[in-house]
Amino acid sequence: MAMSGEIELGVIGGSGLYALPGLANVSRQAVATPWGEPSGEVVLGDFAGKRVAFLARHGEHHSVPPHRVNYRANLWALHQLGVRAVVGVNAVGGIRADLGPRTLVVPDQLIDYTHGRATSYCDAEGAEVRHIDFSEPYTQALRERLLAAARVAGLAIVDGGCYGATQGPRLETRAEIARLRRDGCDLVGMTGMPEAALARELDLAYACLALVANFAAGCGDDAVISIEEIFAHLAAATAQVPVVLDAMLRA
Ligand code: HPA
């Protein structure tokens, strides 16, 4: 069934998710923004009976590292196409003992350890300065839709957790992760910020679907982290993303 009209959801795919399986009748849209080039074309299509816009955060061939993603252009492009709610899918390392590889988590807090990224749209000469409330960095209603959808689909999912956003692209040292743990972080990833804050600046509903790919440095039994294992776990966790989104959009 071909559909057009309002876009129900924007999905930003992270590492391992470069296209949305099940997206049908696709068209591709290159969107120019005042903030430069998005990571790639936005892929518009029908998914679970709704219009969905998909964007690969790192580009479709994973050519854009976390610290070089043009987060402003990505969200601007989705907003410009009429998207009003975005799910960001992010690969993460688990810090908390119960957040092992392949766990799905919908975090409710974050701490930003990134640096040197363009973090705001309040950046143009003479532009209005907006101080957004960011006490709750994610949109609760969208979080709840994700959580409910996973349960309907029969998938285990963890409600809440603090996402520590690091600079990447390297993984962290054990000492860095120990610090994040002391700070209260449950998860660590490289792309959660400034995406969440920029979404808020654009008044987009935004939630993170975090996929645990590995135990963060010093948190698992292994002395070092195997990148091959990360991608194997990530592939398994990523396969659940369309299942959750399908249940969410059909609810
Ligand atoms: N650290 C930061 N980002 C990540 C990790 C990690 O251990 N695993 C997947 N993304």
Side-chain angles (χ1 to χ4, degrees):
M1 178 180 52
M3 291 183 296
S4 60
E6 216 166 287
I7 300 172
E8 179 86 6
L9 185 70
V11 178
I12 301 180
S15 294
L17 187 65
Y18 308 110
L20 183 60
L23 194 64
N25 303 317
V26 298
S27 61
R28 305 172 67 89
Q29 189 102 31
V31 186
T33 87
W35 311 98
E37 293 279 312
S39 299
E41 293 175 343
V42 179
V43 183
L44 297 160
D46 303 331
F47 183 88
K50 303 279 167 47
R51 292 290 291 163
V52 168
F54 178 85
L55 180 58
R57 187 185 287 115
H58 300 284
E60 288 176 16
H61 304 288
H62 202 125
S63 53
V64 189
H67 63 294
R68 301 202 56 172
V69 170
N70 191 338
Y71 296 93
R72 289 195 297 197
N74 285 354
L75 286 163
W76 192 272
L78 292 174
H79 185 263
Q80 195 159 304
L81 291 172
V83 170
R84 293 297 173 259
V86 173
V87 170
V89 180
N90 301 77
V92 297
I95 297 176
R96 218 167 73 197
D98 62 317
L99 303 182
R102 306 189 182 198
T103 307
L104 269 55
V105 189
V106 181
D108 63 346
Q109 275 299 325
L110 64 80
I111 300 178
D112 188 6
Y113 300 91
T114 67
H115 49 86
R117 301 185 183 187
T119 55
S120 173
Y121 292 106
C122 304
D123 216 11
E125 198 66 38
E128 178 206 359
V129 178
R130 249 189 103 199
H131 297 286
I132 53 164
D133 171 40
F134 207 44
S135 314
E136 300 294 337
Y138 302 109
T139 305
Q140 182 61 11
L142 191 54
R143 290 188 65 252
E144 281 169 13
R145 284 177 68 196
L146 279 172
L147 291 164
R151 290 182 195 121
V152 165
L155 299 174
I157 194 158
V158 176
D159 177 1
C162 181
Y163 178 116
T166 54
Q167 182 71 352
R170 65 167 176 83
L171 298 177
E172 300 72 29
T173 65
R174 280 188 286 115
E176 286 169 335
I177 293 297
R179 171 191 173 206
L180 264 66
R181 187 197 290 278
R182 288 193 299 275
D183 285 353
C185 295
D186 302 301
L187 306 162
V188 57
M190 303 171 189
T191 50
M193 280 293 282
E195 198 170 276
L198 292 165
R200 182 64 52 84
E201 283 195 354
L202 292 176
D203 294 319
L204 291 166
Y206 181 86
C208 166
L209 178 56
L211 312 177
V212 182
N214 57 288
F215 273 118
C219 297
D221 293 332
D222 300 329
V224 293
I225 296 170
S226 151
I227 304 301
E228 288 71 31
E229 278 180 33
I230 285 192
F231 281 100
H233 288 311
L234 201 49
T238 300
Q240 306 192 324
V241 172
V243 180
V244 174
L245 296 178
D246 185 276
M248 185 176 105
L249 290 171
R250 288 187 198 280

